[in-house]
PDB file of all heavy atoms in Angstrom:
ATOM      1  N   ILE A 205      11.783  14.066   2.902  1.00 98.00           N
ATOM      2  CA  ILE A 205      11.959  12.734   3.493  1.00 98.00           C
ATOM      3  C   ILE A 205      11.009  11.685   2.920  1.00 98.00           C
ATOM      4  O   ILE A 205      11.114  10.510   3.273  1.00 98.00           O
ATOM      5  CB  ILE A 205      11.813  12.759   5.033  1.00 98.00           C
ATOM      6  CG1 ILE A 205      10.391  13.103   5.458  1.00 98.00           C
ATOM      7  CG2 ILE A 205      12.819  13.716   5.655  1.00 98.00           C
ATOM      8  CD1 ILE A 205      10.121  12.854   6.947  1.00 98.00           C
ATOM      9  N   VAL A 206      10.086  12.084   2.038  1.00 98.00           N
ATOM     10  CA  VAL A 206       9.195  11.090   1.442  1.00 98.00           C
ATOM     11  C   VAL A 206       9.817  10.554   0.164  1.00 98.00           C
ATOM     12  O   VAL A 206      10.704  11.166  -0.432  1.00 98.00           O
ATOM     13  CB  VAL A 206       7.795  11.682   1.159  1.00 98.00           C
ATOM     14  CG1 VAL A 206       7.164  12.198   2.449  1.00 98.00           C
ATOM     15  CG2 VAL A 206       7.846  12.784   0.102  1.00 98.00           C
ATOM     16  N   SER A 207       9.320   9.411  -0.286  1.00 98.00           N
ATOM     17  CA  SER A 207       9.901   8.790  -1.488  1.00 98.00           C
ATOM     18  C   SER A 207       9.461   9.486  -2.766  1.00 98.00           C
ATOM     19  O   SER A 207      10.194   9.473  -3.764  1.00 98.00           O
ATOM     20  CB  SER A 207       9.498   7.313  -1.545  1.00 98.00           C
ATOM     21  OG  SER A 207       8.086   7.165  -1.672  1.00 98.00           O
ATOM     22  N   ASN A 208       8.268  10.119  -2.733  1.00 98.00           N
ATOM     23  CA  ASN A 208       7.711  10.714  -3.948  1.00 98.00           C
ATOM     24  C   ASN A 208       7.191  12.126  -3.683  1.00 98.00           C
ATOM     25  O   ASN A 208       5.981  12.348  -3.559  1.00 98.00           O
ATOM     26  CB  ASN A 208       6.583   9.838  -4.492  1.00 98.00           C
ATOM     27  CG  ASN A 208       7.059   8.508  -5.023  1.00 98.00           C
ATOM     28  OD1 ASN A 208       7.449   7.615  -4.264  1.00 98.00           O
ATOM     29  ND2 ASN A 208       7.043   8.361  -6.334  1.00 98.00           N
ATOM     30  N   PRO A 209       8.100  13.108  -3.579  1.00 98.00           N
ATOM     31  CA  PRO A 209       7.659  14.494  -3.399  1.00 98.00           C
ATOM     32  C   PRO A 209       7.157  15.068  -4.720  1.00 98.00           C
ATOM     33  O   PRO A 209       7.739  14.803  -5.786  1.00 98.00           O
ATOM     34  CB  PRO A 209       8.926  15.199  -2.932  1.00 98.00           C
ATOM     35  CG  PRO A 209      10.034  14.407  -3.548  1.00 98.00           C
ATOM     36  CD  PRO A 209       9.560  12.977  -3.622  1.00 98.00           C
ATOM     37  N   VAL A 210       6.094  15.860  -4.655  1.00 98.00           N
ATOM     38  CA  VAL A 210       5.521  16.477  -5.852  1.00 98.00           C
ATOM     39  C   VAL A 210       5.220  17.938  -5.557  1.00 98.00           C
ATOM     40  O   VAL A 210       4.504  18.244  -4.590  1.00 98.00           O
ATOM     41  CB  VAL A 210       4.234  15.768  -6.306  1.00 98.00           C
ATOM     42  CG1 VAL A 210       3.717  16.393  -7.606  1.00 98.00           C
ATOM     43  CG2 VAL A 210       4.456  14.268  -6.477  1.00 98.00           C
ATOM     44  N   ALA A 211       5.749  18.831  -6.374  1.00 98.00           N
ATOM     45  CA  ALA A 211       5.469  20.265  -6.235  1.00 98.00           C
ATOM     46  C   ALA A 211       4.226  20.600  -7.054  1.00 98.00           C
ATOM     47  O   ALA A 211       4.161  20.314  -8.251  1.00 98.00           O
ATOM     48  CB  ALA A 211       6.660  21.082  -6.718  1.00 98.00           C
ATOM     49  N   VAL A 212       3.240  21.210  -6.387  1.00 98.00           N
ATOM     50  CA  VAL A 212       1.949  21.502  -7.017  1.00 98.00           C
ATOM     51  C   VAL A 212       1.740  23.013  -7.048  1.00 98.00           C
ATOM     52  O   VAL A 212       1.630  23.641  -5.988  1.00 98.00           O
ATOM     53  CB  VAL A 212       0.797  20.835  -6.244  1.00 98.00           C
ATOM     54  CG1 VAL A 212      -0.532  21.123  -6.932  1.00 98.00           C
ATOM     55  CG2 VAL A 212       1.021  19.336  -6.108  1.00 98.00           C
ATOM     56  N   ASP A 213       1.679  23.587  -8.241  1.00 98.00           N
ATOM     57  CA  ASP A 213       1.469  25.036  -8.355  1.00 98.00           C
ATOM     58  C   ASP A 213       2.366  25.763  -7.351  1.00 98.00           C
ATOM     59  O   ASP A 213       1.907  26.582  -6.552  1.00 98.00           O
ATOM     60  CB  ASP A 213      -0.008  25.376  -8.143  1.00 98.00           C
ATOM     61  CG  ASP A 213      -0.883  24.734  -9.205  1.00 98.00           C
ATOM     62  OD1 ASP A 213      -0.771  25.136 -10.378  1.00 98.00           O
ATOM     63  OD2 ASP A 213      -1.657  23.821  -8.870  1.00 98.00           O
ATOM     64  N   ALA A 214       3.628  25.450  -7.417  1.00 98.00           N
ATOM     65  CA  ALA A 214       4.565  25.766  -6.338  1.00 98.00           C
ATOM     66  C   ALA A 214       4.995  27.224  -6.336  1.00 98.00           C
ATOM     67  O   ALA A 214       5.026  27.898  -7.367  1.00 98.00           O
ATOM     68  CB  ALA A 214       5.798  24.871  -6.465  1.00 98.00           C
ATOM     69  N   ASP A 215       5.357  27.694  -5.128  1.00 96.00           N
ATOM     70  CA  ASP A 215       5.989  29.006  -5.022  1.00 96.00           C
ATOM     71  C   ASP A 215       7.383  28.925  -5.649  1.00 96.00           C
ATOM     72  O   ASP A 215       7.890  27.848  -5.972  1.00 96.00           O
ATOM     73  CB  ASP A 215       6.028  29.503  -3.576  1.00 96.00           C
ATOM     74  CG  ASP A 215       6.860  28.632  -2.628  1.00 96.00           C
ATOM     75  OD1 ASP A 215       7.897  28.082  -3.053  1.00 96.00           O
ATOM     76  OD2 ASP A 215       6.473  28.511  -1.444  1.00 96.00           O
ATOM     77  N   ASP A 216       8.007  30.083  -5.851  1.00 96.00           N
ATOM     78  CA  ASP A 216       9.263  30.120  -6.600  1.00 96.00           C
ATOM     79  C   ASP A 216      10.362  29.290  -5.945  1.00 96.00           C
ATOM     80  O   ASP A 216      11.141  28.606  -6.632  1.00 96.00           O
ATOM     81  CB  ASP A 216       9.728  31.569  -6.764  1.00 96.00           C
ATOM     82  CG  ASP A 216       8.838  32.371  -7.701  1.00 96.00           C
ATOM     83  OD1 ASP A 216       8.075  31.755  -8.470  1.00 96.00           O
ATOM     84  OD2 ASP A 216       8.888  33.612  -7.645  1.00 96.00           O
ATOM     85  N   THR A 217      10.440  29.356  -4.609  1.00 96.00           N
ATOM     86  CA  THR A 217      11.492  28.622  -3.908  1.00 96.00           C
ATOM     87  C   THR A 217      11.310  27.119  -4.054  1.00 96.00           C
ATOM     88  O   THR A 217      12.266  26.387  -4.352  1.00 96.00           O
ATOM     89  CB  THR A 217      11.515  29.009  -2.426  1.00 96.00           C
ATOM     90  OG1 THR A 217      11.783  30.410  -2.304  1.00 96.00           O
ATOM     91  CG2 THR A 217      12.567  28.225  -1.657  1.00 96.00           C
ATOM     92  N   LEU A 218      10.085  26.648  -3.847  1.00 98.00           N
ATOM     93  CA  LEU A 218       9.835  25.212  -3.972  1.00 98.00           C
ATOM     94  C   LEU A 218      10.007  24.756  -5.410  1.00 98.00           C
ATOM     95  O   LEU A 218      10.589  23.687  -5.667  1.00 98.00           O
ATOM     96  CB  LEU A 218       8.436  24.869  -3.471  1.00 98.00           C
ATOM     97  CG  LEU A 218       8.019  23.402  -3.663  1.00 98.00           C
ATOM     98  CD1 LEU A 218       9.021  22.454  -3.043  1.00 98.00           C
ATOM     99  CD2 LEU A 218       6.619  23.167  -3.114  1.00 98.00           C
ATOM    100  N   LYS A 219       9.534  25.543  -6.373  1.00 98.00           N
ATOM    101  CA  LYS A 219       9.669  25.145  -7.771  1.00 98.00           C
ATOM    102  C   LYS A 219      11.133  24.986  -8.154  1.00 98.00           C
ATOM    103  O   LYS A 219      11.524  23.997  -8.800  1.00 98.00           O
ATOM    104  CB  LYS A 219       8.991  26.168  -8.676  1.00 98.00           C
ATOM    105  CG  LYS A 219       9.011  25.769 -10.146  1.00 98.00           C
ATOM    106  CD  LYS A 219       8.279  26.791 -11.001  1.00 98.00           C
ATOM    107  CE  LYS A 219       8.299  26.370 -12.472  1.00 98.00           C
ATOM    108  NZ  LYS A 219       7.612  27.357 -13.337  1.00 98.00           N
ATOM    109  N   ALA A 220      11.967  25.948  -7.743  1.00 98.00           N
ATOM    110  CA  ALA A 220      13.396  25.865  -8.061  1.00 98.00           C
ATOM    111  C   ALA A 220      14.029  24.640  -7.398  1.00 98.00           C
ATOM    112  O   ALA A 220      14.853  23.936  -8.015  1.00 98.00           O
ATOM    113  CB  ALA A 220      14.103  27.138  -7.613  1.00 98.00           C
ATOM    114  N   HIS A 221      13.662  24.384  -6.152  1.00 98.00           N
ATOM    115  CA  HIS A 221      14.205  23.225  -5.440  1.00 98.00           C
ATOM    116  C   HIS A 221      13.758  21.934  -6.118  1.00 98.00           C
ATOM    117  O   HIS A 221      14.578  21.008  -6.295  1.00 98.00           O
ATOM    118  CB  HIS A 221      13.718  23.252  -3.987  1.00 98.00           C
ATOM    119  CG  HIS A 221      14.342  22.202  -3.121  1.00 98.00           C
ATOM    120  ND1 HIS A 221      15.464  22.415  -2.359  1.00 98.00           N
ATOM    121  CD2 HIS A 221      13.999  20.899  -2.911  1.00 98.00           C
ATOM    122  CE1 HIS A 221      15.780  21.313  -1.706  1.00 98.00           C
ATOM    123  NE2 HIS A 221      14.903  20.368  -2.022  1.00 98.00           N
ATOM    124  N   ALA A 222      12.487  21.864  -6.487  1.00 98.00           N
ATOM    125  CA  ALA A 222      11.968  20.660  -7.131  1.00 98.00           C
ATOM    126  C   ALA A 222      12.666  20.400  -8.456  1.00 98.00           C
ATOM    127  O   ALA A 222      13.057  19.257  -8.761  1.00 98.00           O
ATOM    128  CB  ALA A 222      10.462  20.803  -7.337  1.00 98.00           C
TER     129      ALA A 222
END
Side-chain angles (χ1 to χ4, degrees):
I205 67 168
V206 301
S207 63
N208 292 72
V210 183
V212 181
D213 298 293
D215 63 35
D216 291 343
T217 299
L218 175 55
K219 184 178 180 181
H221 187 93

